[in-house]
Amino acid sequence: MSEPQYAPPPPPAPAAAVEQPGRTLGIVAIVFAIIMPVVGLILAIVAKVQSKRAGVKNTPSTVALTLSIIFIVLGIIVAIIVAAVGAAAAAALLQQCATLGTGIHDVNGVTITCN
């Protein structure tokens, strides 16, 4: 009698992906950090809390948190600059009207109406 032929064992099944709480939300937060930084900041904080509760590290939420803070600070700086330039322009216009007096004036091809 011949010995029975055995087939080699099948390869092991791939390991199931480990779900990391807050990771997907962290990735979404990165997108929102660029588009709407305040929303991105909120989502990043929520993702960070979810990950911390599960005891896992969440790099996307850290990146989103950092980007959100950077974009919020840049937005505040731009708003301050725009407000300062607008205030300076308004002051210059008021000074021009004080010099010219009331009425409609044409200065270098620009019509200025002073009340």
Side-chain angles (χ1 to χ4, degrees):
M1 284 203 187
S2 66
E3 289 188 31
Q5 296 278 331
Y6 291 107
V18 177
E19 180 64 29
Q20 293 182 351
R23 183 171 170 82
T24 303
L25 188 58
I27 294 169
V28 171
I30 291 173
V31 174
F32 275 100
I34 297 166
I35 299 170
M36 297 186 305
V38 175
V39 175
L41 179 67
I42 293 167
L43 292 176
I45 291 170
V46 171
K48 197 98 167 133
V49 168
Q50 287 179 351
S51 297
K52 193 171 186 178
R53 283 186 186 155
V56 294
K57 187 175 179 182
N58 190 346
T59 303
S61 68
T62 304
V63 170
L65 192 64
T66 305
L67 286 175
S68 294
I69 291 170
I70 289 171
F71 285 127
I72 288 171
V73 169
L74 286 176
I76 290 170
I77 290 170
V78 168
I80 290 170
I81 291 171
V82 167
V85 169
L93 184 60
L94 288 174
Q95 181 66 32
Q96 186 96 25
C97 282
T99 304
L100 295 173
T102 58
I104 299 173
H105 308 281
D106 185 38
V107 179
N108 298 329
V110 177
T111 304
I112 300 174
T113 304
C114 300
N115 292 334

XYZ file of all heavy atoms in Angstrom:
804
model
N 0.812 -1.164 0.000
C 0.000 0.000 0.000
C 0.863 1.237 0.000
O 1.906 1.265 0.619
C -0.843 0.039 1.249
C -1.957 -0.853 1.229
S -2.975 -0.049 2.394
C -4.213 -1.044 2.619
N 0.374 2.229 -0.675
C 1.126 3.473 -0.720
C 0.601 4.412 0.357
O -0.550 4.341 0.781
C 1.015 4.095 -2.094
O -0.307 4.492 -2.323
N 1.463 5.285 0.736
C 1.062 6.244 1.773
C 0.139 7.273 1.137
O 0.334 7.681 -0.005
C 2.291 6.923 2.337
C 3.114 5.993 3.180
C 4.225 6.736 3.876
O 4.037 7.914 4.195
O 5.260 6.139 4.072
N -0.849 7.721 1.900
C -1.771 8.721 1.326
C -1.057 10.054 1.101
O -0.199 10.445 1.870
C -2.864 8.860 2.369
C -2.348 8.238 3.605
C -1.211 7.329 3.225
N -1.426 10.694 0.045
C -0.861 11.995 -0.288
C -1.698 13.073 0.403
O -2.908 13.115 0.258
C -0.902 12.198 -1.805
C -0.068 11.228 -2.577
C 1.390 11.674 -2.589
O 1.647 12.853 -2.524
N 2.306 10.743 -2.660
N -1.020 13.927 1.159
C -1.706 15.031 1.837
C -1.391 16.340 1.126
O -0.254 16.584 0.750
C -1.271 15.138 3.295
C -1.744 14.001 4.142
C -0.867 13.016 4.584
C -3.076 13.896 4.495
C -1.297 11.967 5.347
C -3.516 12.853 5.269
C -2.628 11.892 5.696
O -3.077 10.844 6.473
N -2.408 17.154 0.970
C -2.207 18.477 0.366
C -1.595 19.397 1.416
O -1.863 19.250 2.614
C -3.548 19.031 -0.100
N -0.785 20.320 0.997
C -0.210 21.244 1.977
C -1.317 22.069 2.622
O -2.356 22.316 2.016
C 0.727 22.125 1.152
C 0.262 21.999 -0.249
C -0.386 20.654 -0.354
N -1.096 22.481 3.843
C -2.146 23.261 4.518
C -2.350 24.603 3.811
O -1.413 25.164 3.245
C -1.593 23.456 5.926
C -0.121 23.293 5.798
C 0.091 22.344 4.659
N -3.571 25.105 3.841
C -3.832 26.394 3.185
C -3.094 27.510 3.931
O -2.836 27.407 5.123
C -5.346 26.564 3.295
C -5.739 25.713 4.443
C -4.762 24.580 4.474
N -2.745 28.555 3.203
C -2.051 29.662 3.869
C -2.971 30.294 4.915
O -4.196 30.264 4.781
C -1.740 30.638 2.730
C -2.680 30.283 1.642
C -2.993 28.827 1.811
N -2.386 30.851 5.951
C -3.231 31.457 6.986
C -4.001 32.651 6.424
O -3.525 33.341 5.529
C -2.238 31.893 8.061
C -0.917 31.967 7.367
C -0.976 30.994 6.234
N -5.167 32.849 6.960
C -6.002 33.975 6.532
C -5.344 35.275 6.968
O -4.703 35.333 8.010
C -7.398 33.850 7.144
N -5.485 36.326 6.161
C -4.892 37.598 6.568
C -5.532 38.093 7.864
O -6.712 37.875 8.115
C -5.188 38.538 5.399
C -6.258 37.885 4.609
C -6.186 36.420 4.898
N -4.726 38.757 8.655
C -5.227 39.269 9.930
C -6.261 40.350 9.666
O -6.134 41.139 8.737
C -4.078 39.828 10.755
N -7.280 40.358 10.472
C -8.321 41.364 10.337
C -7.746 42.724 10.703
O -6.916 42.844 11.594
C -9.495 41.030 11.254
N -8.172 43.734 9.976
C -7.694 45.087 10.251
C -8.168 45.513 11.641
O -9.320 45.306 12.008
C -8.223 46.047 9.202
N -7.258 46.081 12.374
C -7.584 46.545 13.713
C -8.206 47.927 13.591
O -7.622 48.827 12.996
C -6.324 46.598 14.603
C -6.651 47.148 15.966
C -5.687 45.228 14.687
N -9.376 48.074 14.117
C -10.080 49.352 14.077
C -9.472 50.280 15.116
O -9.363 49.935 16.281
C -11.574 49.152 14.355
C -12.378 50.431 14.331
C -12.397 51.106 12.969
O -12.293 50.410 11.963
O -12.505 52.339 12.935
N -9.071 51.449 14.669
C -8.531 52.449 15.578
C -9.567 53.550 15.738
O -9.794 54.323 14.805
C -7.229 53.032 15.041
C -6.099 52.048 14.997
C -4.821 52.698 14.490
O -4.820 53.823 14.018
N -3.727 51.967 14.584
N -10.188 53.618 16.895
C -11.215 54.647 17.099
C -10.657 56.049 16.862
O -9.578 56.379 17.321
C -11.609 54.470 18.557
C -11.199 53.082 18.912
C -9.997 52.790 18.062
N -11.385 56.838 16.110
C -11.008 58.214 15.863
C -10.103 58.422 14.667
O -9.866 59.549 14.260
N -9.585 57.357 14.075
C -8.649 57.516 12.951
C -9.348 58.113 11.723
O -8.840 59.051 11.117
C -8.006 56.189 12.605
C -6.989 56.299 11.496
C -6.224 54.987 11.332
N -5.411 54.972 10.147
C -4.209 55.525 10.056
N -3.698 56.128 11.103
N -3.519 55.465 8.942
N -10.495 57.568 11.366
C -11.226 58.090 10.207
C -11.646 59.538 10.453
O -11.521 60.387 9.571
C -12.462 57.221 9.915
O -12.031 55.867 9.705
C -13.210 57.712 8.694
N -12.111 59.808 11.653
C -12.500 61.175 11.996
C -11.287 62.107 11.950
O -11.400 63.265 11.559
C -13.152 61.212 13.375
C -13.789 62.542 13.788
C -14.851 62.969 12.782
C -14.391 62.415 15.171
N -10.128 61.596 12.307
C -8.905 62.381 12.225
C -8.561 62.744 10.791
O -8.118 63.861 10.500
N -8.776 61.822 9.877
C -8.519 62.089 8.458
C -9.509 63.116 7.925
O -9.141 64.037 7.190
C -8.567 60.775 7.647
C -7.411 59.863 8.076
C -8.524 61.052 6.152
C -7.494 58.452 7.557
N -10.770 62.978 8.309
C -11.784 63.966 7.916
C -11.420 65.335 8.494
O -11.568 66.374 7.839
C -13.184 63.518 8.386
C -14.213 64.612 8.181
C -13.605 62.251 7.661
N -10.905 65.345 9.711
C -10.518 66.599 10.367
C -9.389 67.291 9.608
O -9.340 68.523 9.570
C -10.109 66.335 11.808
N -8.485 66.526 8.998
C -7.406 67.133 8.205
C -7.999 67.915 7.038
O -7.583 69.044 6.755
C -6.419 66.065 7.694
C -5.610 65.480 8.858
C -5.477 66.656 6.648
C -4.729 64.315 8.475
N -8.970 67.318 6.359
C -9.602 67.992 5.226
C -10.285 69.276 5.695
O -10.111 70.344 5.102
C -10.613 67.057 4.526
C -11.380 67.794 3.448
C -9.902 65.845 3.954
N -11.037 69.173 6.789
C -11.725 70.350 7.297
C -10.761 71.380 7.875
O -11.075 72.569 7.887
C -12.774 69.954 8.349
C -14.087 69.567 7.735
C -14.417 68.238 7.567
C -14.988 70.525 7.303
C -15.614 67.867 6.989
C -16.190 70.181 6.727
C -16.510 68.836 6.564
N -9.609 70.957 8.347
C -8.617 71.897 8.870
C -8.166 72.856 7.780
O -7.876 74.020 8.051
C -7.419 71.144 9.431
N -8.148 72.373 6.545
C -7.733 73.209 5.419
C -8.897 74.060 4.919
O -8.727 75.240 4.629
C -7.167 72.329 4.286
C -5.909 71.614 4.796
C -6.880 73.144 3.042
C -5.440 70.485 3.916
N -10.082 73.462 4.848
C -11.245 74.166 4.293
C -11.881 75.103 5.311
O -12.119 76.277 5.025
C -12.292 73.144 3.796
C -11.691 72.285 2.700
C -13.535 73.853 3.289
C -12.548 71.102 2.315
N -12.191 74.570 6.492
C -12.823 75.339 7.567
C -12.100 75.010 8.879
O -12.467 74.039 9.553
C -14.318 74.992 7.670
C -15.095 75.358 6.434
S -16.883 75.138 6.533
C -17.069 73.453 7.003
N -11.080 75.789 9.215
C -10.210 75.442 10.339
C -10.918 75.258 11.689
O -10.517 74.397 12.466
C -9.226 76.605 10.402
C -9.241 77.212 9.064
C -10.607 76.974 8.513
N -11.953 76.022 11.958
C -12.627 75.883 13.252
C -13.322 74.522 13.345
O -13.236 73.835 14.370
C -13.625 77.043 13.486
C -14.418 76.840 14.754
C -12.886 78.374 13.526
N -13.979 74.114 12.266
C -14.622 72.792 12.230
C -13.558 71.698 12.317
O -13.726 70.705 13.024
C -15.485 72.631 10.960
C -16.053 71.232 10.862
C -16.596 73.662 10.938
N -12.451 71.888 11.606
C -11.348 70.932 11.665
C -10.789 70.791 13.064
O -10.459 69.686 13.509
N -10.704 71.904 13.788
C -10.216 71.875 15.172
C -11.152 71.062 16.064
O -10.701 70.209 16.835
C -10.084 73.302 15.705
C -9.612 73.451 17.141
C -8.170 72.998 17.276
C -9.756 74.877 17.597
N -12.435 71.285 15.919
C -13.416 70.555 16.731
C -13.358 69.052 16.426
O -13.323 68.221 17.338
C -14.838 71.120 16.496
C -14.914 72.551 17.041
C -15.899 70.233 17.148
C -16.146 73.313 16.606
N -13.333 68.713 15.138
C -13.282 67.299 14.762
C -11.982 66.646 15.238
O -11.976 65.491 15.673
C -13.416 67.145 13.247
C -14.775 67.512 12.647
C -14.732 67.399 11.130
C -15.871 66.648 13.217
N -10.875 67.379 15.155
C -9.589 66.838 15.602
C -9.609 66.560 17.103
O -9.088 65.540 17.564
C -8.460 67.806 15.255
N -10.213 67.447 17.861
C -10.298 67.244 19.308
C -11.150 66.016 19.620
O -10.786 65.195 20.467
C -10.844 68.506 19.999
C -9.802 69.633 19.911
C -11.211 68.226 21.454
C -10.315 70.993 20.347
N -12.281 65.882 18.927
C -13.148 64.716 19.150
C -12.409 63.425 18.799
O -12.454 62.440 19.551
C -14.463 64.851 18.334
C -15.266 63.564 18.385
C -15.288 66.019 18.852
N -11.707 63.429 17.668
C -10.950 62.230 17.253
C -9.859 61.903 18.263
O -9.618 60.737 18.589
C -10.346 62.454 15.870
N -9.198 62.927 18.771
C -8.126 62.728 19.754
C -8.683 62.112 21.036
O -8.078 61.202 21.608
C -7.475 64.082 20.044
C -6.162 64.009 20.684
C -5.134 64.155 19.585
C -3.792 64.404 20.171
N -2.810 63.540 19.552
N -9.833 62.588 21.482
C -10.458 62.055 22.701
C -10.863 60.598 22.496
O -10.642 59.752 23.373
C -11.670 62.923 23.115
C -12.501 62.250 24.178
C -11.195 64.296 23.584
N -11.445 60.290 21.324
C -11.837 58.907 21.047
C -10.624 57.979 21.082
O -10.681 56.893 21.652
C -12.506 58.803 19.677
C -13.895 59.360 19.614
C -14.491 59.257 18.223
O -13.812 58.922 17.256
N -15.774 59.576 18.104
N -9.542 58.401 20.476
C -8.334 57.579 20.445
C -7.720 57.432 21.828
O -7.238 56.358 22.187
C -7.304 58.196 19.500
O -7.811 58.212 18.202
N -7.731 58.509 22.575
C -7.143 58.468 23.918
C -7.917 57.500 24.812
O -7.332 56.757 25.592
C -7.132 59.872 24.523
C -6.285 59.998 25.756
C -6.158 61.450 26.165
C -5.190 61.559 27.323
N -4.997 62.954 27.728
N -9.241 57.509 24.686
C -10.069 56.577 25.477
C -9.756 55.133 25.133
O -9.799 54.252 25.980
C -11.552 56.851 25.254
C -12.058 58.045 25.994
C -13.553 58.176 25.846
N -14.011 59.417 26.456
C -15.104 60.048 26.123
N -15.883 59.548 25.172
N -15.447 61.156 26.723
N -9.458 54.871 23.844
C -9.157 53.506 23.406
C -7.693 53.150 23.664
O -7.303 52.000 23.506
C -9.472 53.357 21.921
N -6.901 54.149 24.028
C -5.497 53.896 24.324
C -4.628 53.704 23.101
O -3.620 53.014 23.155
N -5.010 54.315 21.984
C -4.217 54.209 20.762
C -3.754 55.601 20.327
O -4.365 56.607 20.660
C -5.002 53.543 19.603
C -5.303 52.101 19.913
C -6.272 54.294 19.288
N -2.673 55.614 19.553
C -2.136 56.863 19.037
C -2.870 57.213 17.748
O -3.149 56.344 16.932
C -0.639 56.697 18.781
C 0.065 57.953 18.404
C 1.557 57.713 18.280
C 2.255 58.992 17.870
N 3.689 58.791 17.704
N -3.179 58.488 17.565
C -3.919 58.932 16.391
C -3.161 60.081 15.727
O -3.384 61.241 16.025
C -5.333 59.359 16.798
C -6.221 59.600 15.596
O -5.759 59.708 14.479
N -7.510 59.686 15.847
N -2.270 59.738 14.821
C -1.456 60.752 14.134
C -2.305 61.693 13.273
O -2.056 62.901 13.287
C -0.369 60.071 13.284
O 0.411 59.230 14.145
C 0.526 61.081 12.620
N -3.310 61.203 12.527
C -4.113 62.142 11.730
C -4.783 63.226 12.575
O -4.849 64.379 12.149
C -5.156 61.246 11.055
C -4.504 59.923 10.955
C -3.670 59.808 12.196
N -5.255 62.878 13.761
C -5.898 63.901 14.588
C -4.877 64.921 15.082
O -5.182 66.102 15.201
C -6.647 63.277 15.757
O -5.746 62.703 16.683
N -3.653 64.475 15.341
C -2.603 65.405 15.759
C -2.259 66.358 14.617
O -2.094 67.566 14.833
C -1.350 64.633 16.201
O -1.715 63.716 17.235
C -0.275 65.566 16.709
N -2.155 65.830 13.406
C -1.880 66.662 12.232
C -3.019 67.661 12.021
O -2.781 68.849 11.780
C -1.672 65.787 10.977
C -1.617 66.625 9.717
C -0.412 64.951 11.121
N -4.263 67.185 12.121
C -5.422 68.066 11.937
C -5.460 69.150 12.994
O -5.767 70.307 12.696
C -6.710 67.247 11.962
N -5.137 68.789 14.226
C -5.118 69.762 15.321
C -4.088 70.850 15.035
O -4.372 72.051 15.158
C -4.805 69.034 16.628
C -4.995 69.788 17.924
C -6.449 70.153 18.119
C -4.526 68.939 19.084
N -2.901 70.438 14.618
C -1.832 71.392 14.321
C -2.200 72.295 13.147
O -2.046 73.519 13.222
C -0.525 70.636 14.010
O -0.222 69.768 15.107
C 0.622 71.587 13.778
N -2.700 71.693 12.059
C -3.081 72.493 10.893
C -4.206 73.474 11.220
O -4.175 74.628 10.775
C -3.520 71.578 9.748
C -2.422 70.824 9.005
C -3.040 69.879 7.980
C -1.467 71.786 8.331
N -5.182 73.021 11.987
C -6.298 73.896 12.350
C -5.806 75.108 13.119
O -6.204 76.241 12.837
C -7.322 73.139 13.198
O -7.930 72.125 12.451
N -4.941 74.877 14.090
C -4.421 75.993 14.894
C -3.630 76.951 14.010
O -3.784 78.177 14.113
C -3.581 75.455 16.068
C -4.495 74.751 17.070
C -2.802 76.579 16.736
C -3.764 73.975 18.147
N -2.788 76.405 13.133
C -1.990 77.261 12.243
C -2.900 78.109 11.357
O -2.710 79.329 11.230
C -1.027 76.410 11.387
C 0.090 75.852 12.267
C -0.454 77.229 10.226
C 0.972 74.821 11.579
N -3.915 77.496 10.741
C -4.794 78.238 9.842
C -5.666 79.245 10.590
O -5.969 80.319 10.056
C -5.643 77.293 8.991
C -4.866 76.636 7.877
C -4.859 75.261 7.725
C -4.133 77.388 6.977
C -4.141 74.653 6.713
C -3.413 76.799 5.953
C -3.413 75.425 5.819
N -6.072 78.927 11.797
C -6.853 79.891 12.584
C -5.986 81.100 12.917
O -6.423 82.253 12.782
C -7.424 79.227 13.854
C -8.551 78.266 13.475
C -7.929 80.283 14.838
C -9.037 77.393 14.614
N -4.758 80.867 13.348
C -3.858 81.979 13.675
C -3.572 82.822 12.428
O -3.603 84.060 12.491
C -2.545 81.448 14.312
C -1.502 82.539 14.411
C -2.832 80.852 15.685
N -3.301 82.160 11.299
C -3.074 82.908 10.058
C -4.310 83.724 9.668
O -4.179 84.868 9.211
C -2.695 81.959 8.923
C -1.288 81.380 8.975
C -1.091 80.370 7.840
C -0.243 82.462 8.896
N -5.492 83.166 9.848
C -6.726 83.888 9.543
C -6.892 85.122 10.414
O -7.309 86.183 9.935
N -6.543 85.000 11.689
C -6.627 86.150 12.595
C -5.631 87.229 12.171
O -5.963 88.420 12.145
C -6.387 85.706 14.054
C -7.571 84.867 14.536
C -6.164 86.901 14.970
C -7.342 84.175 15.862
N -4.409 86.817 11.806
C -3.398 87.788 11.372
C -3.855 88.505 10.103
O -3.753 89.740 10.003
C -2.038 87.086 11.150
C -1.460 86.644 12.493
C -1.059 87.996 10.419
C -0.245 85.745 12.390
N -4.389 87.766 9.144
C -4.879 88.375 7.896
C -6.030 89.330 8.203
O -6.093 90.436 7.640
C -5.297 87.294 6.879
C -6.080 87.886 5.719
C -4.070 86.554 6.367
N -6.940 88.948 9.087
C -8.067 89.822 9.436
C -7.571 91.120 10.070
O -8.098 92.208 9.778
C -9.018 89.091 10.381
N -6.561 91.031 10.928
C -6.009 92.238 11.559
C -5.371 93.141 10.509
O -5.565 94.366 10.525
C -4.996 91.852 12.658
C -5.736 91.230 13.844
C -4.176 93.060 13.099
C -4.827 90.607 14.876
N -4.624 92.545 9.570
C -3.987 93.343 8.515
C -5.030 94.016 7.637
O -4.922 95.215 7.317
C -3.027 92.465 7.679
C -1.823 92.066 8.529
C -2.580 93.183 6.412
C -0.927 91.023 7.890
N -6.070 93.270 7.249
C -7.124 93.833 6.400
C -7.845 94.965 7.135
O -8.123 96.017 6.545
C -8.119 92.730 5.956
C -9.377 93.330 5.353
C -7.448 91.796 4.968
N -8.114 94.781 8.415
C -8.776 95.827 9.190
C -7.895 97.066 9.305
O -8.382 98.202 9.191
C -9.136 95.300 10.576
N -6.603 96.867 9.499
C -5.683 98.003 9.620
C -5.582 98.769 8.303
O -5.602 100.002 8.292
C -4.309 97.518 10.068
N -5.486 98.041 7.196
C -5.402 98.691 5.881
C -6.706 99.424 5.582
O -6.699 100.560 5.080
C -5.069 97.660 4.780
C -5.249 98.243 3.392
C -3.653 97.144 4.964
N -7.835 98.801 5.905
C -9.135 99.443 5.683
C -9.292 100.704 6.521
O -9.799 101.728 6.048
N -8.833 100.644 7.770
C -8.918 101.815 8.649
C -8.014 102.934 8.133
O -8.391 104.120 8.168
C -8.533 101.438 10.066
N -6.829 102.570 7.641
C -5.918 103.576 7.098
C -6.504 104.222 5.851
O -6.389 105.443 5.653
C -4.564 102.945 6.794
N -7.145 103.422 5.008
C -7.765 103.954 3.794
C -8.920 104.890 4.152
O -9.086 105.954 3.535
C -8.247 102.820 2.906
N -9.706 104.494 5.138
C -10.827 105.336 5.567
C -10.315 106.645 6.157
O -10.873 107.726 5.896
C -11.680 104.583 6.585
N -9.241 106.568 6.934
C -8.667 107.788 7.519
C -8.131 108.706 6.425
O -8.295 109.936 6.492
C -7.563 107.417 8.502
N -7.503 108.121 5.414
C -6.980 108.926 4.306
C -8.118 109.597 3.542
O -8.007 110.765 3.140
C -6.155 108.054 3.372
N -9.215 108.879 3.354
C -10.368 109.447 2.662
C -10.978 110.580 3.468
O -11.326 111.637 2.923
C -11.409 108.358 2.387
C -12.629 108.778 1.584
C -12.219 109.298 0.212
C -13.592 107.625 1.443
N -11.098 110.405 4.774
C -11.637 111.467 5.625
C -10.722 112.692 5.604
O -11.197 113.832 5.581
C -11.817 110.961 7.061
C -12.965 109.968 7.272
C -12.942 109.439 8.706
C -14.296 110.623 6.972
N -9.426 112.474 5.609
C -8.463 113.587 5.534
C -8.605 114.325 4.205
O -8.572 115.554 4.159
C -7.036 113.052 5.705
C -5.982 114.115 5.665
C -6.075 115.078 6.840
O -6.483 114.690 7.935
N -5.739 116.330 6.605
N -8.792 113.558 3.127
C -8.965 114.156 1.793
C -10.227 115.010 1.771
O -10.218 116.115 1.234
C -9.061 113.042 0.749
C -9.093 113.541 -0.662
C -7.726 113.515 -1.302
O -6.869 112.751 -0.901
N -7.518 114.352 -2.287
N -11.321 114.487 2.354
C -12.578 115.240 2.385
C -12.450 116.486 3.246
O -13.047 117.526 2.946
C -13.726 114.358 2.883
S -14.346 113.233 1.615
N -11.675 116.410 4.320
C -11.469 117.585 5.163
C -10.727 118.666 4.388
O -10.998 119.859 4.545
C -10.695 117.194 6.418
N -9.820 118.260 3.537
C -9.047 119.214 2.739
C -9.895 119.789 1.604
O -9.858 120.984 1.341
C -7.802 118.523 2.136
O -7.040 117.958 3.186
C -6.953 119.492 1.354
N -10.678 118.936 0.931
C -11.441 119.367 -0.236
C -12.738 120.086 0.122
O -13.219 120.916 -0.638
C -11.766 118.155 -1.116
C -10.574 117.437 -1.762
C -11.033 116.174 -2.452
C -9.853 118.362 -2.733
N -13.360 119.723 1.233
C -14.662 120.296 1.600
C -15.786 119.442 1.048
O -15.579 118.441 0.367
N -17.018 119.860 1.331
C -18.171 119.077 0.893
C -18.367 119.215 -0.610
O -17.954 120.185 -1.222
C -19.451 119.538 1.623
O -19.653 120.917 1.354
C -19.347 119.288 3.115
N -19.023 118.182 -1.175
C -19.300 118.205 -2.605
C -18.700 117.007 -3.306
O -18.173 116.086 -2.690
N -18.760 117.044 -4.639
C -18.224 115.969 -5.470
C -16.941 116.495 -6.110
O -16.937 117.566 -6.733
C -19.239 115.543 -6.546
C -20.511 115.023 -5.879
C -18.642 114.498 -7.465
C -21.643 114.721 -6.845
N -15.860 115.742 -5.952
C -14.548 116.187 -6.433
C -13.934 115.105 -7.322
O -14.112 113.926 -7.093
C -13.614 116.474 -5.249
C -14.198 117.383 -4.234
N -14.248 118.746 -4.392
C -14.790 117.129 -3.029
C -14.823 119.292 -3.339
N -15.168 118.318 -2.498
N -13.188 115.577 -8.328
C -12.461 114.656 -9.199
C -10.974 114.828 -8.905
O -10.401 115.879 -9.187
C -12.771 114.979 -10.671
C -12.115 113.962 -11.601
O -12.087 112.774 -11.238
O -11.643 114.379 -12.674
N -10.372 113.785 -8.296
C -8.955 113.846 -7.930
C -8.216 112.750 -8.693
O -8.443 111.565 -8.455
C -8.762 113.687 -6.407
C -7.293 113.715 -6.043
C -9.539 114.720 -5.642
N -7.355 113.134 -9.611
C -6.569 112.198 -10.408
C -7.442 111.135 -11.086
O -7.116 109.958 -11.108
C -5.496 111.515 -9.570
C -4.489 112.491 -9.009
O -4.207 113.513 -9.631
N -3.937 112.195 -7.857
N -8.575 111.540 -11.596
C -9.471 110.624 -12.287
C -10.365 109.805 -11.377
O -11.106 108.945 -11.834
N -10.320 110.055 -10.081
C -11.148 109.337 -9.110
C -12.171 110.316 -8.558
O -11.824 111.414 -8.107
C -10.292 108.759 -7.952
C -11.172 108.072 -6.925
C -9.254 107.810 -8.500
N -13.453 109.925 -8.608
C -14.497 110.760 -8.079
C -14.674 110.528 -6.599
O -14.860 109.387 -6.169
C -15.826 110.497 -8.818
O -15.622 110.692 -10.215
C -16.929 111.409 -8.318
N -14.584 111.606 -5.813
C -14.739 111.515 -4.355
C -15.941 112.369 -3.984
O -16.032 113.540 -4.353
C -13.478 112.022 -3.629
C -12.275 111.180 -4.027
C -13.683 112.002 -2.127
C -10.961 111.692 -3.472
N -16.874 111.756 -3.248
C -18.043 112.483 -2.769
C -17.893 112.717 -1.291
O -17.795 111.759 -0.511
C -19.333 111.686 -3.056
O -19.399 111.394 -4.450
C -20.563 112.471 -2.625
N -17.856 113.971 -0.888
C -17.709 114.324 0.535
C -18.988 114.968 1.011
O -19.513 115.897 0.371
C -16.538 115.281 0.725
S -14.954 114.619 0.184
N -19.502 114.551 2.133
C -20.727 115.110 2.685
C -20.412 116.039 3.818
O -19.647 115.941 4.628
C -21.685 114.022 3.145
C -22.226 113.234 1.962
O -22.293 113.751 0.871
N -22.562 111.985 2.184
